[in-house]
Amino acid sequence: MQGMSPIVKKVTQLVMGFIFVYGIYVITHGHLTPGGGFAGGAFLSGTFILLVLSFGSNILNLRREEEEASEIEGLAIFTFLLLAVVGFLIGMRVFFGNFLPKGQIGELISAGVIPLYNIAVGVEVGAALLTIFLALVIYKEEISK
Amino acid sequence: MEITLSVLLLFMIFGAIYALFASDLLSALISCGIVGYGLVICFLLLRAPDLAIVQIVVETITLIIMVAVVLDSTRHDLREKVLIREKGNSYINAKYVFNVLTVLVLALFFLFFFNQAIDKLDAFGEHTTRMAKAYIEQGAERTGSANLVTGILFDFRGYDTLGEATILFTAVVGVLTILRLKGHK
């Protein structure tokens, strides 16, 4: 895939970091402000999609990235499930039980395991969307060859 | 209501087991349809008409698409079967009578349970919102989360979120499988 014009590349360089950090903010503050894992994960994947679209990339690099994104996605959903099982094993003995102390409502570290669930889902959604995008790009490159 | 539900569930389990051991794909699909439409009536019995409507639409569309795929991929076998049947003596024999009777019994069975489920539904515009009220009143206190939506999504409704994440995972696996020109070595 060919890259875009220098203007697009420069704007991407300037904006990308902010979007990424905002995605992390949305994920980690999911239990305090609107948003959460699903929305923040879309931000994270959007950053990488913007990067690939504006700079273009050769297919070999993309294939490696696709594999890694797929692996990270599997690990994230495994973590999510693991947290649910840990909730089943300790504390109230309920699947998806909240086994950590709840803390003060409104603080960043509160609500027990909900922030951890949010992070796992955020990583999972981000990696999943990125994997689908990369799969489509690689397919198009292979077809046009 | 519990008895009705258990009978339905037993019926669905039989359908699922038959689908595993069916001799051809078409009958396996139809018995999968029994599971899907049984689930519709289960949802109605548990007073979730919205889920029941979604399940009817999804089940019908999937079934039609899958039947179309099966008919298309096994057209040769089916045509041979039809030829064999035409050589036989008559259409009215024990096998066909049994088939028609099974269909009629199944239809009556579903109609009976559907009728029972419809009777138990709430009147129009007077749905039960006990759970929603409990969530709104005790949500912040019981989950410790200031954002009520996240509190419900990851605490009370953890199973739903797990399902959503699994759907995304499955979608990725499907895309990776379909969009692969050369197989992995």
Side-chain angles (χ1 to χ4, degrees), chain A residues 82-97 99:
Chain A
L82 207 66
L83 280 170
V85 172
V86 168
F88 182 67
L89 291 180
I90 50 178
M92 282 192 303
R93 298 201 169 266
V94 186
F95 197 55
F96 280 101
F99 57 90

Side-chain angles (χ1 to χ4, degrees), chain B residues 68-82:
Chain B
V69 168
V70 166
L71 285 183
D72 193 48
S73 60
T74 59
R75 198 183 286 150
H76 278 288
D77 306 344
L78 284 177
R79 199 168 288 160
E80 278 166 16
K81 261 190 192 169
V82 168

Side-chain angles (χ1 to χ4, degrees), chain B:
Chain B
M1 192 183 110
E2 270 124 20
I3 298 167
T4 332
L5 210 59
S6 344
V7 171
L8 257 178
L9 284 176
L10 210 66
F11 189 59
M12 284 160 66
I13 290 171
F14 275 128
I17 291 176
Y18 181 75
L20 280 178
F21 295 104
S23 53
D24 61 324
L25 275 176
L26 203 59
S27 37
L29 261 183
I30 301 298
S31 40
C32 274
I34 291 176
V35 179
Y37 288 112
L39 195 61
V40 170
I41 298 173
C42 284
F43 281 145
L44 278 178
L45 279 171
L46 296 170
R47 298 188 182 183
D50 46 345
L51 279 178
I53 291 168
V54 171
Q55 176 67 20
I56 283 183
V57 172
V58 170
E59 183 63 34
T60 309
I61 291 174
T62 355
L63 208 62
I64 288 172
I65 292 174
M66 290 302 283
V67 165
V69 168
V70 166
L71 285 183
D72 193 48
S73 60
T74 59
R75 198 183 286 150
H76 278 288
D77 306 344
L78 284 177
R79 199 168 288 160
E80 278 166 16
K81 261 190 192 169
V82 168
L83 283 178
I84 290 167
R85 187 199 292 166
E86 277 167 359
K87 274 182 201 161
N89 297 327
S90 92
Y91 281 98
I92 305 169
N93 55 25
K95 201 180 161 194
Y96 292 114
V97 171
F98 176 72
N99 283 355
V100 171
L101 273 181
T102 320
V103 169
L104 281 179
V105 166
L106 283 186
L108 279 178
F109 190 78
F110 270 117
L111 217 61
F112 171 72
F113 279 115
F114 189 71
N115 198 24
Q116 269 204 335
I118 288 289
D119 280 347
K120 287 219 173 74
L121 278 185
D122 300 314
F124 183 72
E126 292 172 19
H127 54 295
T128 42
T129 52
R130 288 171 295 131
M131 282 321 286
K133 245 176 220 163
Y135 285 167
I136 292 170
E137 275 161 11
Q138 307 169 3
E141 181 190 323
R142 291 187 63 172
T143 64
S145 156
N147 182 1
L148 185 61
V149 177
T150 309
I152 290 174
L153 210 62
F154 286 96
D155 199 301
F156 297 128
R157 295 286 178 125
Y159 282 102
D160 281 9
T161 313
L162 179 64
E164 281 165 30
T166 317
I167 285 171
L168 206 59
F169 182 73
T170 319
V172 168
V173 171
V175 165
L176 284 180
T177 316
I178 291 170
L179 295 183
R180 182 86 61 195
L181 288 183
K182 297 166 232 156
H184 265 306
K185 277 164 200 164

